[in-house]
Amino acid sequence: MPVLDRIRVGSAPDSWGVWFPDDPRQVPWRRFLDEVAEAGYRWIELGPYGYLPTDPARLRDELAHRELSVSAGTVFTALHRGPEVWDATWRHVREVAALTQAMGARHLVVIPEFWRDPATGERTESPTLTPAQFADLARGLERLGREVRDAFGLDIVVHPHADTHVDTEENVVRLLDATDADAVRLCLDTGHYAYCGGDSLRLIETYGERLGYLHLKQVDPAVLAEVVRDATPFGEAVRRGVFLEPPRGLPEMPPVLHAAQALGVDLFAIVEQDMYPCPPERPFPVARRTRRFLAACGA
């Protein structure tokens, strides 16, 4: 098995069932940090802003104590709603980007706003953008990429996600073709892309120069077929078990990792298991098995 020396493996609060800054059904942040380090990871994402301490000095000490480093922060944006949302968007982005920069990370993962309420699954807007909304999304992401880089020295990586307007292969390719490669790069989440019918290997092979970051997860094809048939909201799909720990699902991880390695650039590959809500004892053994599997793949 070739060594994947350009791939830096990490994990995230998401793999411990964390979707919100504060939720009694989530593991406490200290337990997450203890367990992610014990499972063998050295890189983590910040997760939802406010879950981990937001004081840079305190967070830096907590991470150093466990020999952990930060790969990225994460923001949700609704830039398809036009210039009128820019000021509110920038206030949120500025908070997260400042902490991300202070932790020495270089990436900001940008997830488009859901068109369903993530808690109730109720549709809040059309799942399809008008041409004007798509233009606002593309131009807004370009502006965000440039301003985040100028102000904080971070690169934004846009994360295609189920139940958002950047989901299917058609929509992802459309966005990549419509945006400046210098301002907007891609965070390919293998599980979300498969969930929405995409082929991660083909995307890496055809748009590899736009790839700036990876999220690793797999789908259960049988559960996914039911989710598609029933038009199940994303949160309910997660509760049904649509995502599996590798190597039990699809896409197969070794070909994706080898294709990413072949790009010849350093890439983070962050495990995001998506298991909210879950019993507090569930995440750690899954995370440890996943880290061992990825090590066996050469990463």
Side-chain angles (χ1 to χ4, degrees), residues 128-142:
T128 304
L129 295 179
T130 66
Q133 288 175 318
F134 177 78
D136 283 334
L137 174 63
R139 299 292 81 76
L141 287 171
E142 287 181 330

Side-chain angles (χ1 to χ4, degrees), residues 84-263:
E84 59 268 25
V85 303
W86 175 260
D87 288 345
T89 299
W90 185 246
R91 283 194 296 272
H92 169 56
V93 168
R94 188 173 55 205
E95 266 191 328
V96 180
L99 182 60
T100 303
Q101 179 195 49
M103 293 302 102
R106 293 296 308 275
H107 297 88
L108 189 67
V109 178
V110 178
I111 302 178
E113 185 60 83
F114 286 62
W115 48 263
R116 278 181 169 133
D117 185 299
T120 68
E122 181 181 355
R123 183 177 293 189
T124 55
E125 57 186 292
S126 171
T128 304
L129 295 179
T130 66
Q133 288 175 318
F134 177 78
D136 283 334
L137 174 63
R139 299 292 81 76
L141 287 171
E142 287 181 330
R143 179 182 179 186
L144 187 67
R146 295 187 180 105
E147 298 209 13
V148 166
R149 182 177 297 165
D150 289 346
F152 300 100
L154 307 178
D155 291 331
I156 72 163
V157 284
V158 178
H159 182 321
H161 197 293
D163 285 1
T164 76
H165 298 110
V166 184
D167 49 2
T168 62
E169 180 175 359
E170 178 184 4
N171 286 336
V172 171
V173 168
R174 182 187 182 202
L175 182 67
L176 292 174
D177 288 343
T179 50
D180 182 353
D182 187 57
V184 179
R185 303 191 74 190
L186 180 71
C187 170
L188 172 58
D189 184 306
T190 60
H192 278 279
Y193 201 53
Y195 182 110
C196 298
D199 182 327
S200 291
L201 191 58
R202 181 168 63 223
L203 189 65
I204 294 172
E205 291 171 345
T206 55
Y207 282 87
E209 75 282 359
R210 299 295 296 274
L211 186 64
Y213 202 87
L214 280 169
H215 279 173
L216 303 180
K217 66 166 69 78
Q218 293 182 320
V219 297
D220 181 326
V223 176
L224 180 60
E226 296 173 358
V227 166
V228 173
R229 180 196 67 203
D230 299 340
T232 304
F234 176 68
E236 176 60 27
V238 170
R239 290 188 287 274
R240 287 191 191 182
V242 72
F243 294 120
L244 293 173
E245 65 178 275
R248 301 177 182 176
L250 294 175
E252 293 184 28
M253 283 291 110
V256 170
L257 292 170
H258 294 154
Q261 169 77 15
L263 296 175

